[in-house]
């Protein structure tokens, strides 16, 4: 991983935990989508790369993680009228298309100032804890024909739980004298400690 993505005690950049094989965007120019904008923090000031919308100003960014994370911040670097104005976030919810993104109730929505980079906080919202996917919908910008985002960074905690090792949406019936073990789970909930460096 990138050495600049190091951890602090309670929060870290999550670039190394993004599953780029499943991460994609809709209505973005070729080679100018979410994977070009979602880069290590040391590349934040490099405007030569980034995301640019295609047919209009709306874009849909579908981000998947390698393991469960607690998302605390979404950082966006953008400039001028092409900067996002309304951003909707959907945590742990698949959004199939722009109609769904318009009509469904988002987990959270922000209205951003014109021409500035910003940090969107999700730390106090429990819906962004223990998530494995995040969809961002730029509903509109500040009046430009196309939306441009120079850089996106995600900050939070990873839970050291491999998603592939969890049996999801399963029900277990307990009988006297029996016990069971589910990989990644313990009697206290999710195994592993939050914060610090993530296991690979």
């Amino acid at each position: 991983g990138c050495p600049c993505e190091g951890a602090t005690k309670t929060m870290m950049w999550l670039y190394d935990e993004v599953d780029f094989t499943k991460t994609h965007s809709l209505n973005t120019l070729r080679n100018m989508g979410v994977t070009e904008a979602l880069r290590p923090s040391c590349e934040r000031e490099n405007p030569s790369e980034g995301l640019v919308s295609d047919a209009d100003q709306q874009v849909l960014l579908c981000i998947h993680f390698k393991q469960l994370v607690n998302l605390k911040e979404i950082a966006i670097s953008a400039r001028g009228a092409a900067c996002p104005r309304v951003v909707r976030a959907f945590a742990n919810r698949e959004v199939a298309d722009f109609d769904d993104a318009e009509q469904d109730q988002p987990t959270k929505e922000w209205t951003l100032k014109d021409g500035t980079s910003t940090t969107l906080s999700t730390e106090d919202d429990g819906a962004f804890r223990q998530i494995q996917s995040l969809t961002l919908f730029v509903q509109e910008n500040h009046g430009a024909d196309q939306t441009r985002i120079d850089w996106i960074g995600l900050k939070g905690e990873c839970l050291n739980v491999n998603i592939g090792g969890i049996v999801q949406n399963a029900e277990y019936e307990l009988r006297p004298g029996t016990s069971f073990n589910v990989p990644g789970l313990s009697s206290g909930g999710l195994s592993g400690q939050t914060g610090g460096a993530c296991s690979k």
Side-chain angles (χ1 to χ4, degrees), residues 120-139:
L120 311 177
S121 177
T122 59
E123 185 169 8
D124 296 329
D125 194 325
F128 290 93
R129 297 173 186 168
Q130 297 183 14
I131 68 171
Q132 58 184 315
S133 68
L134 173 71
T135 300
L136 297 176
F137 172 45
V138 178
Q139 191 170 24

Side-chain angles (χ1 to χ4, degrees), residues 80-181:
C83 176
R85 179 178 179 274
V86 178
V87 177
R88 311 181 104 204
F90 302 85
N92 264 357
R93 289 161 56 190
E94 295 292 335
V95 180
D97 53 35
F98 288 94
D99 287 340
D100 287 350
E102 290 268 16
Q103 297 169 11
D104 291 355
Q105 182 68 29
T107 309
K108 200 162 186 175
E109 179 175 311
W110 299 268
T111 300
L112 312 183
K113 294 182 179 180
D114 185 8
T116 60
S117 298
T118 190
T119 298
L120 311 177
S121 177
T122 59
E123 185 169 8
D124 296 329
D125 194 325
F128 290 93
R129 297 173 186 168
Q130 297 183 14
I131 68 171
Q132 58 184 315
S133 68
L134 173 71
T135 300
L136 297 176
F137 172 45
V138 178
Q139 191 170 24
E140 59 183 82
N141 61 26
H142 289 271
D145 292 335
Q146 294 172 294
T147 293
R148 180 179 179 94
I149 299 175
D150 295 330
W151 178 84
I152 299 172
L154 305 173
K155 255 189 176 182
E157 302 168 338
C158 56
L159 302 179
N160 294 324
V161 175
N162 189 320
I163 295 171
I166 297 177
V167 179
Q168 301 185 39
N169 301 321
E171 295 183 357
Y172 299 89
E173 181 182 355
L174 291 178
R175 295 183 175 87
T178 62
S179 63
F180 64 90
N181 294 308

Side-chain angles (χ1 to χ4, degrees), residues 50-83:
L51 175 152
V52 179
S53 66
D54 189 2
D56 55 31
Q57 57 188 250
Q58 292 189 337
V59 292
L60 199 59
L61 316 178
C62 306
I63 302 167
H64 290 260
F65 299 100
K66 298 173 184 176
Q67 59 182 304
L68 300 179
V69 303
N70 291 338
L71 182 65
K72 296 189 175 185
E73 290 181 359
I74 304 168
I76 297 176
S77 293
R79 299 164 289 162
C83 176

